[in-house]
């Protein structure tokens, strides 16, 4: 299943059709190199979220092949999908946190599924929560935090198990400009440490002065 | 390590969803209560039939021509039969004396009657430890083939009727028990499905961070184990307390003083508790299946 390739993510002629009329992606081919930070942009309904979902196997392609960190997703069995998801951190616009659980519990989840010892979990959670500036709120329930803080918890959860790839689906969509800048700084930091980032957004301000590669989707087709 | 985490998560889930847990346990308790009461009724009926049968015993009438010298040998042969608790010999004269005593004021009807007109007999009691109606029949059938024996009596009609009734209730118990278990599985599965719906977001997040199906389902299955155990234990305690209470009421009543109400044996209660646990785990596994699809 593993193979040697410089691209950490590679899509070849990938199409995704939900219904006969609804073609979400049409023959998309894309390579993302290890350590790269790319922006995936396009209007609502252009296929950004679908593309990300294909990358962490929440959806399966109708056609084409996808390789993520050496794994051929089209041949993954259901029991192998958790292994892929441990290699890919995902951040959403709506945070997807367990509201009634503490910050610690939310972040620890990514490590508990790996079966790490409690002491290791505690050490790594504290480290990462300190990195995102929330160490003082470790025992606070997620629901009690502001939107920006919740997104930082979601980022901490996504990266605490040190995945080589981060998929961010409109992570700043619910945040004001200051909180957005905080999230972008965290993303830059992660990328500087070698994490590959695919950042989906329709907010062009986020990449208008950047040197990062910008990939544009329109009506399920890659246009740039 | 994963097992420890699953255990911890199950405990934390129980604490955080106390209302749902209580609701599921209540459903299990009510279903098991029905099953236990039905089992208790059936078991006590069976117990009553057996008690009655064991009290009736077997009476073996000998032919009059059987010589007195052969009685000890016959006594020994009967005693050596399997499952015999006691054997008492009644000679013709003893039988006559007993009859006279029984007739009391009307014993004049026996005047002029030969004191040996009644046949000698053996009264046999079957060992209560190995007692069953089939054993009485077997012993009676064997004795009636002996050349010294003229007649064997053992309250056959009574036993047959009670046995048919008892057999019917046993079959009804098995049928009703199966129906109840299926109903319980269905209700528990649906109760758990509702709680699982309420926790769909949590399951989605777990899948997102790479949890395996076992990691996701493990705490739910462990909770189901506790629910099955708690529900059936609670029902057992309630039925036990009720049995004790009814027994104390019966013992105070002159009509039912002799009636003994017995609680179910350990094998029954263990079976019902085990069944309850299996039903809860199966119900959970069924309702979890669709949530574990990726």
């Amino acid at each position: 299943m593993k193979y040697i390739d410089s691209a950490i993510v590679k899509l070849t002629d990938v199409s995704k059709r939900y219904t006969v009329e609804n073609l979400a992606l049409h023959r998309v081919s894309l390579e993302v190199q290890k350590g790269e930070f790319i922006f995936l942009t396009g209007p609502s309904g252009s296929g950004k979220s679908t593309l990300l979902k294909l990358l962490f196997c929440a959806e399966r392609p109708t056609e084409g092949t996808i390789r993520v960190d050496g794994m051929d997703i089209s041949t993954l069995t259901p029991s192998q999908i958790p292994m892929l998801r441990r290699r890919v951190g995902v951040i959403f616009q709506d945070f997807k946190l367990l509201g009634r659980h503490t910050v610690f519990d939310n972040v620890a989840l990514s490590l508990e599924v790996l079966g790490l010892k409690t002491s290791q979990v505690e050490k790594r959670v504290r480290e990462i929560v300190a990195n995102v500036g929330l160490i003082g709120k470790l025992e606070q329930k997620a629901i009690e935090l502001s939107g920006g803080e919740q997104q930082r918890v979601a980022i901490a959860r996504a990266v605490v198990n040190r995945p080589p790839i981060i998929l961010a689906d409109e992570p700043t969509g619910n945040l004001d400009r200051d909180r957005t800048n905080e999230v972008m700084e965290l993303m830059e930091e992660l990328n500087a440490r070698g994490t590959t980032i695919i950042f989906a957004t329709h907010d062009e301000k986020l990449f208008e002065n950047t040197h990062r590669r910008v990939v544009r989707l329109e009506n399920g087709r890659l246009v740039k | 390590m994963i097992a420890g985490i699953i255990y911890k998560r199950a405990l934390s889930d129980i604490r955080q969803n106390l209302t749902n847990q209580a609701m599921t346990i209540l459903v299990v308790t009510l279903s098991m209560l029905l099953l236990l009461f039905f089992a208790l009724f059936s078991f006590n009926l069976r117990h009553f039939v057996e008690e009655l049968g064991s009290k009736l015993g077997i009476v073996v009438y000998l032919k009059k021509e059987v010589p007195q010298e052969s009685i000890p040998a016959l006594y020994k042969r009967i005693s050596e039969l399997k499952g015999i608790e006691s054997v008492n010999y009644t000679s013709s004269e003893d039988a006559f004396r007993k009859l006279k005593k029984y007739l009391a004021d009307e014993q004049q009807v026996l005047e002029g009657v030969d004191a040996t007109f009644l046949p000698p007999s053996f009264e046999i009691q079957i060992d209560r430890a190995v007692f069953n109606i089939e054993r009485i029949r077997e012993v009676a059938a064997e004795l009636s083939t002996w050349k010294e024996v003229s007649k064997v009596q053992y309250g056959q009609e009574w036993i047959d009727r009670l046995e048919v009734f008892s057999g019917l209730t046993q079959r009804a118990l098995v049928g009703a028990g199966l129906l109840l278990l299926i109903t319980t599985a269905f209700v528990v599965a649906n109760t758990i499905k509702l709680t699982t719906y309420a926790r769909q977001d949590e399951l989605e997040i777990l899948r997102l961070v790479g949890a395996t199906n076992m990691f996701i389902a493990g705490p739910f299955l462990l909770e189901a184990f506790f629910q099955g155990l708690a529900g059936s234990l609670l029902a057992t305690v309630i039925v036990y307390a009720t049995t004790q209470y009814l027994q104390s009421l019966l013992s105070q009543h002159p009509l039912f003083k002799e009636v003994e109400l017995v609680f179910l044996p350990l094998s029954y209660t263990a079976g019902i508790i085990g069944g309850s646990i299996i039903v809860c785990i199966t119900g959970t596994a069924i309702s979890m299946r669709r949530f574990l699809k990726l």
Side-chain angles (χ1 to χ4, degrees):
Chain A
M1 197 167 59
K2 286 251 179 191
Y3 79 114
I4 298 161
D5 199 323
S6 60
I8 195 164
V9 173
K10 187 175 182 180
L11 291 88
T12 312
D13 289 333
V14 171
S15 296
K16 174 65 188 177
R17 186 183 286 280
Y18 287 106
T19 59
V20 178
E21 298 85 27
N22 187 359
L23 180 65
L25 287 177
H26 181 65
R27 297 180 70 83
V28 171
S29 293
L30 174 69
E31 280 190 25
V32 181
Q33 303 304 314
K34 198 173 179 189
E36 202 180 355
F37 186 149
I38 73 158
F39 284 99
L40 184 63
T41 190
S44 293
S46 59
K48 303 185 297 289
S49 293
T50 300
L51 194 148
L52 293 188
K53 280 180 184 171
L54 291 173
L55 296 181
F56 66 93
C57 246
E59 296 288 351
R60 297 286 192 145
T62 313
E63 280 171 27
T65 57
I66 303 172
R67 288 195 167 106
V68 175
D69 196 26
M71 292 175 165
D72 183 347
I73 286 184
S74 36
T75 61
L76 278 189
T77 61
S79 64
Q80 289 172 318
I81 292 174
M83 303 310 131
L84 167 80
R85 290 183 181 163
R86 292 171 189 183
R87 312 276 300 150
V88 179
V90 191
I91 305 161
F92 296 93
Q93 183 175 357
D94 59 356
F95 323 132
K96 294 206 188 297
L97 297 177
L98 299 172
R100 289 179 300 160
H101 291 250
T102 63
V103 169
F104 180 92
D105 289 344
N106 272 283
V107 179
L109 213 55
S110 296
L111 298 175
E112 285 177 346
V113 299
L114 302 176
L116 293 191
K117 284 181 187 165
T118 313
S119 57
Q120 284 174 296
V121 172
E122 204 164 316
K123 184 170 172 275
R124 280 169 68 169
V125 170
R126 283 183 172 279
E127 263 173 33
I128 200 75
V129 173
N131 274 352
V132 297
L134 290 173
I135 196 69
K137 302 199 168 179
L138 204 58
E139 293 307 321
Q140 215 164 318
K141 284 184 180 170
I143 205 163
E144 295 164 357
L145 304 176
S146 70
E149 287 170 334
Q150 287 193 42
Q151 193 56 288
R152 280 190 276 162
V153 176
I155 292 170
R157 184 187 62 199
V159 302
V160 71
N161 59 346
R162 298 164 191 161
I165 304 162
I166 292 286
L167 306 175
D169 189 5
E170 304 269 6
T172 58
N174 283 341
L175 307 179
D176 61 28
R177 189 49 57 192
D178 287 346
R179 303 289 86 78
T180 297
N181 290 339
E182 282 175 16
V183 168
M184 292 311 294
E185 275 170 30
L186 278 170
M187 289 295 171
E188 292 287 353
E189 265 180 55
L190 287 168
N191 180 242
R193 288 183 209 161
T195 310
T196 306
I197 295 175
I198 302 177
F199 193 109
T201 182
H202 66 272
D203 182 358
E204 300 201 352
K205 282 184 187 143
L206 290 181
F207 54 82
E208 60 188 6
N209 294 317
T210 187
H211 60 283
R212 308 288 186 194
R213 182 153 66 113
V214 179
V215 173
R216 191 171 183 83
L217 276 170
E218 269 174 27
N219 295 322
R221 287 175 166 84
L222 212 57
V223 293
K224 180 177 162 187
Chain B
M1 195 58 211
I2 288 282
I5 293 168
I6 287 174
Y7 178 72
K8 247 176 58 187
R9 283 183 54 77
L11 282 186
S12 151
D13 288 347
I14 290 171
R15 272 199 298 270
Q16 294 204 357
N17 299 287
L18 275 178
T19 316
N20 286 336
Q21 300 291 336
M23 192 170 78
T24 312
I25 290 172
L26 184 71
V27 168
V28 178
T29 306
L30 290 174
S31 308
M32 291 302 131
L33 265 179
L34 277 173
L35 194 63
L36 277 163
F37 273 121
F38 205 72
L40 188 76
F41 171 73
S42 170
F43 180 75
N44 273 279
L45 185 71
R46 184 91 196 153
H47 179 74
F48 176 68
V49 172
E50 294 194 348
E51 274 288 304
L52 192 71
S54 70
K55 277 176 189 161
L56 288 172
I58 304 171
V59 183
V60 181
Y61 295 101
L62 300 178
K63 289 175 182 161
K64 280 191 177 174
E65 59 273 21
V66 175
Q68 190 65 32
E69 313 83 74
S70 62
I71 297 299
L74 269 172
Y75 182 93
K76 192 163 177 281
R77 264 178 81 192
I78 294 171
S79 303
E80 281 169 0
L81 287 172
K82 196 181 143 206
I84 302 297
E85 189 181 71
S86 66
V87 183
N88 285 311
Y89 174 69
T90 307
S91 65
S92 298
E93 293 79 8
D94 287 342
F96 187 75
R97 270 194 292 276
K98 275 185 188 170
L99 182 62
K100 264 177 95 174
K101 197 176 167 192
Y102 178 74
L103 290 170
D105 297 341
E106 288 157 28
Q107 53 182 267
Q108 66 272 13
V109 296
L110 295 175
E111 274 174 24
V113 176
D114 181 6
T116 61
F117 89 99
L118 290 169
S121 63
F122 283 107
E123 279 173 29
I124 302 167
Q125 291 295 318
I126 300 288
D127 185 354
R128 289 165 77 100
V130 297
F131 173 84
N132 62 53
I133 291 157
E134 212 37 56
R135 186 67 202 136
I136 285 202
R137 278 210 192 93
E138 280 168 22
V139 172
E142 187 178 343
L143 289 167
S144 57
T145 61
W146 292 7
K147 63 179 188 328
E148 299 88 346
V149 173
S150 69
K151 195 177 177 188
V152 179
Q153 278 187 341
Y154 62 94
Q156 193 169 4
E157 262 184 37
W158 262 98
I159 288 177
D160 285 351
R161 278 181 201 165
L162 280 172
E163 199 192 27
V164 166
F165 185 57
S166 165
L168 279 175
T169 59
Q170 287 280 329
R171 274 193 286 277
L173 173 73
V174 173
L178 279 176
L179 277 177
L180 270 172
L181 282 177
I182 292 167
T183 311
T184 308
F186 186 72
V187 173
V188 169
N190 274 294
T191 312
I192 290 161
K193 200 182 276 178
L194 287 177
T195 61
T196 320
Y197 269 121
R199 290 164 68 183
Q200 234 174 334
D201 289 349
E202 186 182 335
L203 298 184
E204 191 191 337
I205 292 165
L206 280 168
R207 280 201 297 264
L208 197 71
V209 297
T212 57
N213 279 352
M214 194 55 217
F215 188 92
I216 297 170
F220 283 89
L221 295 175
L222 207 56
E223 283 168 45
F225 174 86
F226 287 132
Q227 286 157 353
L229 182 69
S232 54
L233 273 180
L234 194 60
T236 308
V237 169
I238 292 171
V239 174
Y240 180 77
T242 311
T243 313
Q244 295 298 310
Y245 176 67
L246 286 177
Q247 179 61 61
S248 72
L249 282 185
L250 286 173
S251 61
Q252 286 164 18
H253 200 285
L255 259 180
F256 302 107
K257 224 173 187 171
E258 293 300 310
V259 177
E260 189 196 9
L261 199 59
V262 286
F263 186 63
L264 295 167
L266 192 64
S267 58
Y268 273 57
T269 45
I272 286 171
I273 291 170
S276 161
I277 291 169
I278 290 169
V279 158
C280 287
I281 290 177
T282 310
T284 303
I286 291 168
S287 64
M288 285 297 294
R289 225 172 33 179
R290 59 170 302 217
F291 290 98
L292 294 177
K293 282 183 189 155
L294 297 153

